[in-house]
């Protein structure tokens, strides 16, 4: 898949919510991994760290997911405008 190609994807409101929930779960997993690698403290008893080199990489991946979420929410807002 070309990295610089843009796609138009059509989803209904429920599907969009599910997509955003999934992206948030991934962002949270990477944020929690970064915190764990920085502090050694797990966010919950069932925490499982993501595989990465260090807390910097985990933080960058969390930020990447957060940017995707922001882009999707921005497009949703634009389309919800009358």
């Amino acid at each position: 898949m070309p990295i610089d190609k843009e796609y138009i994807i059509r989803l209904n409101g429920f599907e969009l919510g599910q997509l955003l929930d999934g992206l948030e779960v991934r962002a949270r997993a990477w944020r929690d991994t970064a915190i764990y690698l920085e502090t050694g403290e797990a966010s919950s008893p069932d925490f499982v760290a993501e595989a990465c080199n260090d807390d910097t990489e985990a933080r960058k991946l969390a930020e990447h997911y957060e940017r995707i979420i922001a882009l999707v929410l921005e497009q949703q807002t634009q389309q919800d405008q009358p």
Side-chain angles (χ1 to χ4, degrees):
M1 218 181 309
I3 200 164
D4 59 346
K5 181 176 178 174
E6 291 191 11
Y7 292 88
I8 297 171
I9 299 171
R10 297 187 184 280
L11 302 170
N12 67 31
F14 177 77
E15 294 163 340
L16 180 58
Q18 295 296 301
L19 174 74
L20 289 166
D21 283 348
L23 291 169
E24 180 54 41
V25 166
R26 299 303 304 140
R28 187 176 322 115
W30 285 110
R31 281 192 306 269
D32 289 348
T33 296
I35 292 167
Y36 174 74
L37 293 172
E38 285 177 319
T39 67
E41 295 182 24
S43 57
S44 68
D46 59 342
F47 169 75
V48 176
E50 298 295 321
C52 62
N53 293 318
D54 56 27
D55 61 303
T56 301
E57 181 183 11
R59 195 174 305 100
K60 285 181 181 179
L61 285 162
E63 290 168 359
H64 181 72
Y65 277 97
E66 290 161 357
R67 279 192 303 276
I68 294 169
I69 292 167
L71 286 169
V72 171
L73 289 172
E74 179 184 330
Q75 291 176 43
Q76 178 189 24
T77 300
Q78 290 172 354
Q79 292 179 44
D80 284 343
Q81 304 274 328

